[in-house]
Amino acid sequence: MQLLSNNYRNNLSKINFKGVTQGPIPVMRFVSYSTTLGGGGCLDHYEVPPNATPNYPGAYPNKDTKIYRADPFEIIPEEIYKTHDYTIRDDLRLSQIKKDYRDGDKYFSKNAENEKGFLTYKRDEAVNKINEHNYYLDRYNKRLKYAQNEIAKEKYQKKINMHSENLKQETNQKNILNQTLENANARYKLLKEMDDCNWEFSNAKSCLASFKHLFHCNYSERNPYEDASIKNTFNEGHKIKQDYKMSMKNSDKRLNQIVSKNLPFEEKQKALLQELEYKKNLHQTYIETRRKLADSVKQTIKYINYGNSEVAEYKNKIKIMEDKITQIIKERESIMAKIEKLYKSKYSNWL
């Protein structure tokens, strides 16, 4: 990779980028205790990071595997590909963002954060070298001032010229890095907005699914059951009423039979009182049962009304969340347009 900004392409290429060599990742296998092997873990195999690209066909990670992790914008020398098994580039291209930005949390800003850290390190390194050259310029200018012969003067002047030239180069490099850091900060800001937007989108989608589930439970599953419960209660009440009428009718028949029978007075009176007491208890039981059934229906209707209010509440929440998701999608597309514009103007090599 070369430069982030078109205006600084030639200058940034003068910065000394150099990546690092790292080894593979050892993967341990845990074994149970035995008298021969003991217990704990043992080496099972080696792996490379998922974004590592093999430098030749058949590359396979082992203990001697060499992985080259390139610095941002680095133009990798050809010998690196010959001396290393894998190469890692952390460049986040516009095409990758456009491919993944609708898929959820990708943490794009992490890449820009790494870029900022790298550029800040390089800029601070240049500042330290500038301070070092200024120190030596001050030192050799003083020595030149008090030099007693031409040989010494020539020696100090050469030192001054060398540090002046190096100071100019480091100052130019610092200015380039400061400008590039502005681009990196702008990229980080937009990618962080995209990450935050995707987090809101995922959270909103989760809430919407939850509200729809609760709506379904309240509307699609519970109400039909409650409606059936009311219907069954009314059917039960109707049956109880019919049984009550039949029982009262049979009781009236028994009373007429008792009256028509030729029985001693006391025996007839006792039989009549028993039948009248039966009718009284039958009526009381019927009234109490009807009241319980009516209370059950009232409670069910009350529960249905409460459920209906919940249904209305969830319908409102679903509408609000759907509107929010629509708004988030619009914001995300707007952010993506800004990211694309920034990449095309400042990151033309990362398209």
Side-chain angles (χ1 to χ4, degrees), residues 133-172:
H133 292 311
N134 280 326
Y135 167 79
Y136 283 111
L137 281 172
D138 181 65
R139 179 178 177 181
Y140 290 127
N141 275 316
K142 287 179 180 178
R143 291 187 178 184
L144 179 62
K145 181 178 179 181
Y146 297 105
Q148 298 297 318
N149 56 70
E150 291 302 320
I151 295 177
K153 288 181 180 181
E154 183 178 351
K155 173 186 173 182
Y156 294 139
Q157 189 60 54
K158 285 184 179 179
K159 295 283 189 182
I160 291 170
N161 293 340
M162 180 190 70
H163 284 288
S164 294
E165 181 60 28
N166 290 338
L167 176 62
K168 181 180 177 180
Q169 293 178 4
E170 294 296 339
T171 301
N172 185 50

Side-chain angles (χ1 to χ4, degrees), residues 105 195-205 324-325 328 331:
D105 297 331
D195 288 344
D196 293 343
C197 195
N198 273 332
W199 182 87
E200 285 189 30
F201 180 80
S202 297
N203 187 55
K205 290 284 283 185
K324 182 176 182 180
I325 288 172
I328 291 174
E331 291 177 7

Side-chain angles (χ1 to χ4, degrees), residues 215-227:
F215 173 82
H216 176 77
C217 290
N218 279 276
Y219 182 75
S220 299
E221 295 178 357
R222 193 180 68 184
N223 281 2
Y225 169 79
E226 291 163 354
D227 290 340

Side-chain angles (χ1 to χ4, degrees), residues 62-312:
N62 57 69
K63 65 183 180 67
D64 298 319
T65 293
K66 295 173 68 177
I67 305 168
Y68 186 77
R69 183 179 290 274
D71 277 339
F73 332 118
E74 180 179 3
I75 301 175
I76 301 176
E78 188 61 33
E79 62 264 22
I80 290 296
Y81 294 104
K82 296 178 180 178
T83 57
H84 291 71
D85 304 286
Y86 292 85
T87 301
I88 295 177
R89 293 213 72 110
D90 293 323
D91 308 337
L92 179 61
R93 295 178 176 272
L94 176 64
S95 57
Q96 189 68 38
I97 299 173
K98 293 174 75 173
K99 175 177 174 290
D100 294 337
Y101 79 99
R102 293 189 182 96
D103 293 342
D105 297 331
K106 294 295 183 180
Y107 301 105
F108 294 125
S109 58
K110 180 62 178 176
N111 178 271
E113 190 174 19
N114 291 341
E115 178 197 356
K116 283 170 57 181
F118 170 80
L119 293 171
T120 300
Y121 169 79
K122 288 293 184 181
R123 191 271 314 276
D124 292 345
E125 189 177 58
V127 169
N128 289 336
K129 290 180 179 179
I130 287 171
N131 293 335
E132 182 180 344
H133 292 311
N134 280 326
Y135 167 79
Y136 283 111
L137 281 172
D138 181 65
R139 179 178 177 181
Y140 290 127
N141 275 316
K142 287 179 180 178
R143 291 187 178 184
L144 179 62
K145 181 178 179 181
Y146 297 105
Q148 298 297 318
N149 56 70
E150 291 302 320
I151 295 177
K153 288 181 180 181
E154 183 178 351
K155 173 186 173 182
Y156 294 139
Q157 189 60 54
K158 285 184 179 179
K159 295 283 189 182
I160 291 170
N161 293 340
M162 180 190 70
H163 284 288
S164 294
E165 181 60 28
N166 290 338
L167 176 62
K168 181 180 177 180
Q169 293 178 4
E170 294 296 339
T171 301
N172 185 50
Q173 181 162 284
K174 183 196 74 171
N175 293 336
I176 296 168
L177 286 163
N178 278 333
Q179 176 62 48
T180 311
L181 261 172
E182 289 184 17
N183 298 338
N185 285 326
R187 190 170 79 100
Y188 174 80
K189 181 176 179 295
L190 288 176
L191 293 179
K192 183 67 167 58
E193 288 179 10
M194 179 63 80
D195 288 344
D196 293 343
C197 195
N198 273 332
W199 182 87
E200 285 189 30
F201 180 80
S202 297
N203 187 55
K205 290 284 283 185
S206 177
C207 288
L208 178 62
S210 177
F211 292 150
K212 284 186 174 181
H213 173 72
L214 292 171
F215 173 82
H216 176 77
C217 290
N218 279 276
Y219 182 75
S220 299
E221 295 178 357
R222 193 180 68 184
N223 281 2
Y225 169 79
E226 291 163 354
D227 290 340
S229 175
I230 292 175
K231 184 178 180 179
N232 290 336
T233 302
F234 275 115
N235 289 337
E236 184 181 355
H238 178 71
K239 183 177 182 300
I240 289 172
K241 184 179 181 179
Q242 295 301 317
D243 291 343
Y244 168 72
K245 286 182 177 181
M246 181 61 68
S247 297
M248 290 297 282
K249 186 176 181 180
N250 290 335
S251 179
D252 288 339
K253 287 181 180 180
R254 286 193 296 272
L255 282 172
N256 291 332
Q257 289 174 356
I258 292 170
V259 171
S260 63
K261 283 183 179 180
N262 187 17
L263 295 171
F265 174 78
E266 291 183 357
E267 186 177 344
K268 181 179 287 191
Q269 185 181 37
K270 182 179 179 181
L272 288 171
L273 290 175
Q274 285 179 345
E275 192 62 38
L276 290 172
E277 183 66 22
Y278 167 78
K279 287 186 70 173
K280 178 183 175 182
N281 292 335
L282 181 65
H283 179 72
Q284 186 63 35
T285 301
Y286 171 70
I287 295 300
E288 289 178 359
T289 303
R290 293 279 293 184
R291 185 181 298 114
K292 288 179 180 179
L293 291 176
D295 289 343
S296 175
V297 170
K298 289 178 182 178
Q299 186 64 31
T300 303
I301 291 174
K302 181 181 178 181
Y303 194 56
I304 288 176
N305 290 335
Y306 175 74
N308 288 338
S309 67
E310 283 190 319
V311 166

